[in-house]
Amino acid sequence: MNYAIIAAGEGSRLASEGFQLPKPMVPLCGEMMIDRLIGIFMRNQAERIRIIINENSPELEAHLLELRKDLPIDIIKKSTPSSLHSAFELLDGVAGIDAVCLTTTDTIFREEEFAEFISAFESNADLGGQMAVTSFIDDESPLFVHVNESGIITAFTDSNEMQTPYISGGIYCLRKKAIEVLGKSVRSGTSRMRNFQRQLVAEGIELKAYPFSKIVDVDHVSDIETAESFLSQEHLA
């Protein structure tokens, strides 16, 4: 499996609250978020791990360059206007990527559930994509995910008028046709990841929702404690 990490955000909210290092270097239970993700990917048969960082993260770049000596990491250094544009830089036109698991650096989940998520995607070659969803809502602007009785995604909405239990978890497995839609979406002027997800549905790409019990995003300093408590419970389970 190929993996890709969006680590190009400025982390402005964390910086305004006193955390001065790049966001991917936030420590959780003694391990940087970026290192935790890389470790999980390596334990799930990573062939390559492509990581995009912004142009103002020398500490993060130095750290990843050190890791790259021993791990199959490709680093792209480019500041982008959105996570969708970061995904485009990671995936568009890259030879040899027929399927990929893409996530942002601050998505915290249970490793056991992630391994099952990857196994489910790899065992169903007919899917155009598989997306993590969760019923745990701790997001400032959640994206609601609507599914049919088979778990196939039928719509992404900004409000929950259809009473779905699920929101997007920010972990995306995409096959070649979905990656091609990503390129087309950005070139047409789309500027948000959620609008790309809507375009996937509009173009008939079959997407399966895969429920996680809980996914935590780290956007504020207070989220660090929440994420550490969540990971501590995982280790005790």
Side-chain angles (χ1 to χ4, degrees):
M1 173 64 76
N2 286 287
Y3 293 92
I5 303 173
I6 298 172
E10 296 290 342
S12 56
R13 284 172 289 191
L14 282 169
S16 70
E17 296 169 4
F19 187 82
Q20 297 305 313
L21 287 172
K23 185 177 184 179
M25 301 182 81
V26 168
L28 297 177
C29 302
E31 184 178 34
M32 291 182 195
M33 289 197 299
I34 190 74
D35 289 358
R36 179 175 185 271
L37 266 184
I38 291 170
I40 290 172
F41 292 166
M42 290 302 299
R43 289 187 289 276
N44 283 275
Q45 292 75 51
E47 298 173 30
R48 302 297 306 176
I49 303 173
R50 293 175 61 78
I51 305 172
I52 185 168
I53 64 175
N54 66 53
E55 295 168 351
N56 301 306
S57 302
E59 304 97 336
L60 178 59
E61 182 181 10
H63 178 67
L64 292 175
L65 286 172
E66 190 65 27
L67 293 180
R68 193 173 68 176
K69 294 178 181 178
D70 300 307
L71 297 172
I73 291 173
D74 299 322
I75 303 167
I76 298 169
K77 185 168 69 171
K78 185 171 183 178
S79 297
T80 61
S82 73
S83 59
L84 177 61
H85 289 83
S86 292
F88 175 81
E89 296 295 337
L90 282 167
L91 303 178
D92 186 66
V94 179
I97 296 185
D98 293 323
V100 66
C101 177
L102 167 74
T103 185
T104 54
T105 190
D106 61 344
T107 303
I108 311 302
F109 47 81
R110 296 188 189 281
E111 182 170 349
E112 179 181 336
E113 288 183 322
F114 180 80
E116 293 167 352
F117 170 75
I118 293 298
S119 178
F121 178 67
E122 291 185 321
S123 66
N124 192 346
D126 293 332
L127 288 177
Q130 180 175 276
M131 300 197 170
V133 298
T134 180
S135 55
F136 175 74
I137 302 177
D138 184 27
D139 194 300
E140 295 171 355
S141 56
L143 178 65
F144 295 94
V145 183
H146 306 271
V147 303
N148 64 19
E149 63 279 0
S150 301
I152 299 300
I153 296 172
T154 58
F156 295 95
T157 61
D158 295 327
S159 59
N160 197 14
E161 66 271 9
M162 297 167 67
Q163 298 301 303
T164 175
Y166 298 130
I167 65 168
S168 176
I171 312 170
Y172 319 95
C173 281
L174 306 171
R175 288 201 166 88
K176 193 167 185 178
K177 286 185 178 180
I179 296 171
E180 290 171 354
V181 173
L182 169 64
K184 183 166 68 172
S185 183
V186 171
R187 292 187 187 95
S188 69
T190 301
S191 60
R192 300 187 71 188
M193 184 67 78
R194 61 184 57 194
N195 291 332
F196 158 61
Q197 291 170 258
R198 292 182 178 115
Q199 188 169 345
L200 286 172
V201 173
E203 298 212 7
I205 303 296
E206 188 172 55
L207 306 173
K208 186 78 177 284
Y210 189 96
F212 279 59
S213 60
K214 188 175 182 179
I215 297 174
V216 176
D217 288 335
V218 177
D219 293 316
H220 298 277
V221 169
S222 61
D223 295 331
I224 297 174
E225 183 178 350
T226 301
E228 288 186 322
S229 175
F230 172 48
L231 293 178
S232 296
Q233 292 169 11
E234 177 187 26
H235 295 322
L236 292 174

